[in-house]
């Protein structure tokens, strides 16, 4: 069976409220039927026994002791019965109110209730069986009415045996049950109005949030949403405002990135096309070989930028889905990379101080991250690059220093962003790629200005 689904918040709240009320009504009804009635019946039986004992102790059945004026005993009756030689028992009303007539031998007065009829009393007498009884308590049903009655043998002034019978018809008062049901129905009706008010109160800010979300989806970065609530909805609004701010910042950076990368990609294309046209038209400034060399260099620069862009774009997926991890000897890896970079610029002095430390990770990705940092240092270094590798607090700490110019203080924390351009206006992605790889393996990277030059410090957890 499918669950009930309501699109209206009012109906959901009201249905929940109604279900709670119905559960309470059913619980109270069952409690009343199975607990309260048992307690009430036990209390009535105890009170009837007390009234019966008083009559036995006083041994005066004509005096009214007003016991039937108590709440539990209003319907109680007391009578004596003599079982003589005749087939018909002789009943006598006892504990009579003043002025109440005695019971004639032929039966009770006509105005008495059915519960007080001769037939009912004869039925109770059938439980005696001519034996001697001492406050024997019975509970039985007669003519669809349940009775509690107590029978005791008493001295007889005539022939035959006499007994005192005190009885009480158990009339179930369903007033409490009906009251509970009526109150429940009233609360259900009130609950609908309450649910409507509560739903309107809740849905108003939610409706504003819905409109606000649609604005964000359409990149409408206007004023943030203002709702003066300090509850869960207020906190949700604050979170969405922060999300809007972050998305706005990301959107602006993306636009700047597209503008910058398009410029960086168009420039080498324009150079290549102009020199190619010069060869075709025969108006090149230098030799054909020199012009072709320029075209090749620009093409290589363009290819490198495109590869970096594609690499960065797919890096998250590759890191997440390629879980291949091996033991990497950082010392051997660094020596391999440095030997390749030394031939790029033979004028640079390399100062190496490295311990043998192993980490876990993907060899290709770790190599790319370190190569990008060394390539950046080689680009800006004047005369020296120093590489230090040490173990510290369970981390491999790699310090790559170059004696080039310092980075401006306001930019030093932005150089690892995807959209950062250096002071030359070039748009590089190498540092962003390195940071993403190092972060993935639980490490961190930062740039620190020295008195002369810059250090890039990489920390990677040791296996």
């Amino acid at each position: 069976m499918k669950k009930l689904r309501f699109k209206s918040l009012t109906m959901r709240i009201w249905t929940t409220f109604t279900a709670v009320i119905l559960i309470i009504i059913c619980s109270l009804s069952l409690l009343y039927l199975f607990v309260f009635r048992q307690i009430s019946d036990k209390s009535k039986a105890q009170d009837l026994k007390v009234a019966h004992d008083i009559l036995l102790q006083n041994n005066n059945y004509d005096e009214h002791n007003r016991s039937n004026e108590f709440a539990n005993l209003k319907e109680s009756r007391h009578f004596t019965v003599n079982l003589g030689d005749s087939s018909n028992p002789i009943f006598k009303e006892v504990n009579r109110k003043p002025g109440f007539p005695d019971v004639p031998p032929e039966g009770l007065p006509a105005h008495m209730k059915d519960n007080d009829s001769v037939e009912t009393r004869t039925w109770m007498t059938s439980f005696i069986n001519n034996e001697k009884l001492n406050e024997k308590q019975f509970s039985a049903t007669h003519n669809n009415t349940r009775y509690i009655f107590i029978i005791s043998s008493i001295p007889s002034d005539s022939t035959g045996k006499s007994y005192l019978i005190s009885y009480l018809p158990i009339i179930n008062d369903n007033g409490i049950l009906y009251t509970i049901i009526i109150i429940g129905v009233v609360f259900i009706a009130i609950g609908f109005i309450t649910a409507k008010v509560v739903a309107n109160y809740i849905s108003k800010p939610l409706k504003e949030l819905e409109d606000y979300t649609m604005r964000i989806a359409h990149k409408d970065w206007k004023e943030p949403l203002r709702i003066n609530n300090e509850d869960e909805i207020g906190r949700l609004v604050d979170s969405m405002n922060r999300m809007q701010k972050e998305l706005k910042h990301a959107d602006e950076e993306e636009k700047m990135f597209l503008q910058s990368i398009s410029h960086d990609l168009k420039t080498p294309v324009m150079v290549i096309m102009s020199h190619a046209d010069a060869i075709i038209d025969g108006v090149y400034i230098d030799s054909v070989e020199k012009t072709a060399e320029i075209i090749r260099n620009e093409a290589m620069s363009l290819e490198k930028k495109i590869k970096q862009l594609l690499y960065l774009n797919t890096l998250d997926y590759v890191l997440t889905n390629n879980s291949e991890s091996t033991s990497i000897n950082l010392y051997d890896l660094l020596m391999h990379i440095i030997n390749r970079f030394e031939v790029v610029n033979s004028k640079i002095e390399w100062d190496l101080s490295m311990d043998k430390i192993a980490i876990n990770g993907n060899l290709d990705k770790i190599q790319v991250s370190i190569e990008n940092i060394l390539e950046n240092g080689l680009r800006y270094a004047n005369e020296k690059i120093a590489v230090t590798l040490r173990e510290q607090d369970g981390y491999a700490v790699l310090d790559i220093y170059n004696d080039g110019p310092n980075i401006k203080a306001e930019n030093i924390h932005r150089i690892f962003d995807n959209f950062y351009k250096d002071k030359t206006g070039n748009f590089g992605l190498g540092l962003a790629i390195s940071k993403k790889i190092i972060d993935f393996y639980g490490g961190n990277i930062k740039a620190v200005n020295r008195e002369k030059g810059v250090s890039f410090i990489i920390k990677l957890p040791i296996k």
Side-chain angles (χ1 to χ4, degrees):
M1 183 179 178
K2 293 184 178 180
K3 294 182 179 179
L4 292 175
R5 297 182 182 272
F6 298 105
K7 294 184 178 180
S8 169
L9 184 60
T10 301
M11 290 303 298
R12 291 183 182 180
I13 295 175
W14 182 69
T15 303
T16 304
F17 186 85
T18 301
V20 172
I21 292 296
L22 291 176
I23 290 172
I24 292 174
I25 290 175
C26 293
S27 300
L28 290 177
S29 299
L30 293 173
L31 192 66
Y32 172 75
L33 292 173
F34 295 102
V35 178
F36 290 166
R37 284 188 176 179
Q38 291 184 7
I39 295 174
S40 177
D41 291 354
K42 187 175 180 180
S43 176
K44 290 178 180 179
Q46 187 66 29
D47 291 345
L48 183 64
K49 185 176 182 300
V50 171
H52 187 84
D53 286 343
I54 293 174
L55 289 173
L56 290 175
Q57 292 173 5
N58 292 340
N59 198 24
N60 185 359
Y61 307 125
D62 294 327
E63 181 180 351
H64 180 52
N65 61 16
R66 305 181 66 179
S67 60
N68 56 358
E69 294 181 6
F70 296 105
N72 283 344
L73 300 178
K74 285 185 178 180
E75 300 296 329
S76 66
R77 294 288 186 272
H78 309 270
F79 67 92
T80 59
V81 57
N82 181 264
L83 302 177
D85 297 335
S86 61
S87 60
N88 293 325
I90 301 173
F91 301 109
K92 182 178 181 181
E93 185 78 12
V94 301
N95 195 29
R96 304 188 308 273
K97 293 182 180 179
F100 191 88
D102 198 2
V103 182
E106 63 273 10
L108 296 171
H111 68 272
M112 298 283 292
K113 298 179 181 179
D114 290 339
N115 292 334
D116 301 324
S117 66
V118 172
E119 191 268 337
T120 299
R121 298 189 176 194
T122 304
W123 167 75
M124 293 180 188
T125 304
S126 65
F127 285 83
I128 296 176
N129 293 328
N130 291 323
E131 61 183 61
K132 186 175 182 180
L133 302 175
N134 183 23
E135 297 184 5
K136 182 70 175 291
Q137 181 175 317
F138 299 90
S139 178
T141 301
H142 179 68
N143 290 339
N144 298 323
T145 302
R146 191 165 63 88
Y147 294 88
I148 296 175
F149 52 98
I150 301 172
I151 305 176
S152 295
S153 300
I154 59 174
S156 176
D157 296 335
S158 58
T159 60
K161 296 179 180 180
S162 294
Y163 299 89
L164 172 65
I165 299 179
S166 300
Y167 69 96
L168 177 66
I170 302 301
I171 301 173
N172 293 322
D173 183 10
N174 293 323
I176 297 177
L177 185 60
Y178 296 149
T179 302
I180 293 173
I181 295 174
I182 292 172
I183 292 175
V185 172
V186 171
F187 269 93
I188 290 173
I190 295 174
F192 182 80
I193 301 173
T194 305
K196 184 69 176 176
V197 174
V198 172
N200 289 339
Y201 176 77
I202 296 176
S203 61
K204 183 178 179 181
L206 291 179
K207 179 63 178 175
E208 294 181 23
L209 278 172
E210 180 184 2
D211 297 337
Y212 185 50
T213 305
M214 294 300 298
R215 282 169 46 197
I216 294 176
H218 291 91
K219 296 187 177 182
D220 182 358
W221 311 123
K222 293 181 181 179
E223 290 296 320
L225 185 61
R226 303 294 182 190
I227 295 179
N228 297 324
N229 288 8
E230 296 182 358
D231 53 11
E232 288 80 358
I233 294 178
R235 292 193 291 273
L236 176 60
V237 171
D238 291 339
S239 299
M240 292 195 67
N241 284 334
R242 288 194 296 271
M243 180 187 72
Q244 187 251 27
K245 185 177 179 180
E246 293 295 329
L247 290 175
K248 179 181 178 182
H249 178 67
D251 185 52
E252 292 173 348
E253 287 192 333
E254 182 181 359
K255 290 178 180 177
M256 183 176 67
F257 168 76
L258 292 175
Q259 291 173 357
S260 301
I261 198 66
S262 61
H263 178 269
D264 280 6
L265 293 178
K266 283 192 298 184
T267 299
V269 171
M270 182 179 64
V271 173
I272 291 171
M273 291 182 63
S274 62
H275 283 78
D277 289 339
I279 293 175
I280 294 172
D281 296 336
V283 293
Y284 45 84
I285 299 175
D286 210 333
S287 64
V288 176
E289 290 79 6
K290 186 66 175 180
T291 304
E293 184 179 350
I294 294 173
I295 292 175
R296 185 191 66 180
N297 292 338
E298 290 296 327
M300 290 174 61
S301 175
L302 179 61
E303 181 187 28
K304 178 181 177 182
K305 290 179 180 179
I306 293 174
K307 283 183 176 179
Q308 281 189 330
L309 184 61
L310 295 175
Y311 190 88
L312 180 64
N313 190 46
T314 60
L315 185 57
D316 286 330
Y317 176 82
V318 172
L319 287 172
T320 304
N321 293 277
N322 184 4
S323 58
E324 178 186 354
S325 182
T326 59
S327 178
I328 302 172
N329 188 314
L330 277 181
Y331 177 86
D332 293 341
L333 177 61
L334 284 166
M335 291 303 300
H336 170 72
I337 297 172
I338 292 169
N339 289 335
R340 291 170 50 217
F341 275 74
E342 281 179 331
V343 299
V344 175
N345 189 346
S346 59
K347 296 180 181 179
I348 296 295
E349 176 188 352
W350 292 80
D351 183 6
L352 306 179
S353 176
M354 301 183 296
D355 295 337
K356 292 190 175 182
I357 302 174
I359 63 170
N360 273 344
N362 182 281
L363 178 61
D364 292 337
K365 302 299 182 293
I366 296 296
Q367 180 172 338
V368 168
S369 66
I370 296 175
E371 283 180 346
N372 289 340
I373 303 300
L374 280 171
E375 182 182 5
N376 181 81
L378 194 62
R379 183 186 306 127
Y380 292 103
N382 294 321
E383 300 176 351
K384 179 181 179 181
I385 291 179
V387 179
T388 304
L389 178 61
R390 296 285 185 269
E391 179 181 345
Q392 180 181 340
D393 299 330
Y395 283 85
V397 180
L398 175 62
D399 189 328
I400 301 176
Y401 164 81
N402 71 81
D403 62 349
N406 289 143
I407 303 171
K408 290 183 179 180
E410 61 269 21
N411 293 335
I412 198 164
H413 297 295
R414 296 182 56 241
I415 61 174
F416 299 103
D417 293 346
N418 297 353
F419 316 106
Y420 177 73
K421 296 179 72 172
D422 63 15
K423 62 182 180 180
T424 65
N426 291 322
F427 193 85
L429 297 175
L431 295 181
I433 291 172
S434 294
K435 178 172 174 55
K436 186 164 289 190
I437 294 173
I438 292 167
D439 287 346
F440 177 80
Y441 287 107
N444 62 75
I445 181 173
K446 64 180 179 178
V448 179
N449 281 322
R450 303 301 185 189
E451 184 177 352
K452 181 183 178 182
V454 179
S455 283
F456 286 84
I457 302 174
I458 300 172
K459 296 177 68 175
L460 288 167
I462 297 175
K463 70 173 183 177

